[in-house]
Amino acid sequence: LLSVDRDATSDQLKSAYRKLAKQYHPDRNPGNADAEHRFKEISESYEVLKDPQKRAAYDQYGHAAFENGGVHPGGGFSSSFADVFDDLFGDFVGTRRGGERHTRGADLRYDMEVSLADAFSGKQASLVIPTSVVCDDCGGSGAKAGTRPTTCSTCSGHGSVRAQQGFFTVERTCPTCNGVGRAIKEPCPRCRGGGRIQKEKSLSVTIPRGVEDGTRIRLSGEGEAGLNGGQAGDLYIFLSISPHHLFQRDGINIYCRVPIPMTTATLGGQIDVPTVGGSRARVNIPVGTQNGRQFRLKGKGMPVLQGGERFGDMLIQAEVETPVNLSKRQKELLEDFQAEDGGTSPESEGFFTRVKDLWGDLKE
């Protein structure tokens, strides 16, 4: 199973197992039952052959040495298997046995509000983030200048200690170094041995044009500093768009309600409306425009995020305004208009005609 010679050394066994374990590990072959079965087989094989006594029993009796109540090689993770597992996958979880544990720093979140105008044009924003950074005095080691941390004598730098209980190995965090794997005799007075200090960090972030509410920007390595030289975390900036007093946004489109004088809506004309980009656009109002009618202005909406020169549309909704504070002359003119009205308001006339029919049906 391991493809090694009968007289292979322990290093050759370990090298062969590492190669096959990487190839068939379930994390690298999700959903592959054959790979999972193969991984178990080679793990059991290595569990037998890495132990001199089990290897001798296997050389003499083969599989029979582990059947019918014998020592089963798959009875759990042994200390040797755990060593190899950590050697293979320790970097993924941020630690490695046999040396200092390097812990990745925490990710940070920063909520930032931007205006609709800034979301349209983009901007360069400056941030001040309170975070943990590497201590300048000790360079992150936690030891006083001129000294160095030493390997923990209890766990020999592993960060954990093990105890054998029958066929099982119990592992727990080292009580001396609390899992760090090292000891500091003279802590740095500035960071008190932590290797990190709290500090406000100034950053500059580019807000691309077209960002929407909830857009997330990731700044790699700008989170909290790692422990013992570990990788720094990331900073995630979550954007929210502040409400605008004129415009409402729907994706890449912009909506705007524009009041229109009754005379313009009746006789037709032209109006100038603002756009989210800061320019003006002219809209032709046809004769007899009704309240609520929409006019679409192509390409006057929001830019498409990472879409080059593509833009959404702007939709103007006409809000026909009833005149107030009329002069005596204006009232007389409207009264004359009302007296001569005949078919100029077809929707209202049709509505009240239907209402009269309804009332007539009710009386019957």
Side-chain angles (χ1 to χ4, degrees), residues 72-321:
H72 194 279
F77 290 112
S78 71
S79 60
S80 296
F81 177 79
D83 281 337
V84 177
F85 183 86
D86 284 343
D87 193 32
L88 291 175
F89 308 107
D91 287 340
F92 177 75
V93 297
T95 182
R96 178 175 292 275
R97 297 181 184 273
E100 295 180 356
R101 292 184 174 231
H102 304 289
T103 305
R104 184 181 183 274
D107 294 333
L108 297 178
R109 171 174 177 152
Y110 183 86
D111 295 328
M112 180 178 181
E113 187 177 67
V114 297
S115 67
L116 187 62
D118 289 336
F120 177 86
S121 59
K123 66 176 295 187
Q124 198 74 21
S126 297
L127 310 177
V128 178
I129 308 293
T131 184
S132 295
V133 298
V134 174
C135 176
D136 297 330
D137 291 359
C138 66
S141 70
K144 183 179 179 181
T147 66
R148 295 177 60 85
T150 59
T151 301
C152 176
S153 58
T154 302
C155 64
S156 299
H158 291 80
S160 60
V161 292
R162 297 169 181 170
Q164 192 75 29
Q165 297 181 357
F167 293 112
F168 298 95
T169 299
V170 178
E171 181 177 303
R172 59 190 178 90
T173 301
C174 176
T176 303
C177 66
N178 294 320
V180 177
R182 61 178 190 168
I184 300 177
K185 295 182 178 180
E186 297 185 65
C188 171
R190 185 176 183 187
C191 65
R192 299 180 180 178
R196 302 184 300 183
I197 58 174
Q198 292 294 320
K199 187 177 181 181
E200 288 189 339
K201 182 164 56 174
S202 298
L203 298 173
S204 179
V205 58
T206 300
I207 309 298
R209 65 177 188 170
V211 293
E212 298 188 30
D213 201 77
T215 297
R216 186 183 70 173
I217 298 176
R218 173 175 171 262
L219 298 183
S220 179
E222 297 296 350
E224 287 192 345
L227 288 174
N228 303 328
Q231 181 183 2
D234 298 332
L235 172 64
Y236 292 91
I237 300 174
F238 287 80
L239 301 178
S240 61
I241 311 300
S242 57
H244 197 276
H245 65 288
L246 289 180
F247 306 115
Q248 292 80 46
R249 181 181 183 179
D250 183 11
I252 59 174
N253 294 328
I254 292 293
Y255 290 82
C256 183
R257 299 172 61 185
V258 179
I260 299 177
M262 182 191 69
T263 52
T264 303
T266 303
L267 303 175
Q270 292 183 331
I271 60 172
D272 289 334
V273 296
T275 67
V276 68
S279 61
R280 292 189 300 176
R282 180 155 295 182
V283 181
N284 291 318
I285 306 299
V287 174
T289 294
Q290 299 298 312
N291 186 66
R293 179 170 177 176
Q294 288 188 346
F295 302 90
R296 182 180 294 269
L297 302 180
K298 290 284 187 179
K300 296 297 183 181
M302 295 294 293
V304 178
L305 182 62
Q306 298 179 348
E309 294 302 318
R310 295 168 53 204
F311 290 81
D313 300 333
M314 181 175 178
L315 290 97
I316 303 298
Q317 180 170 311
E319 299 289 335
V320 180
E321 186 178 16

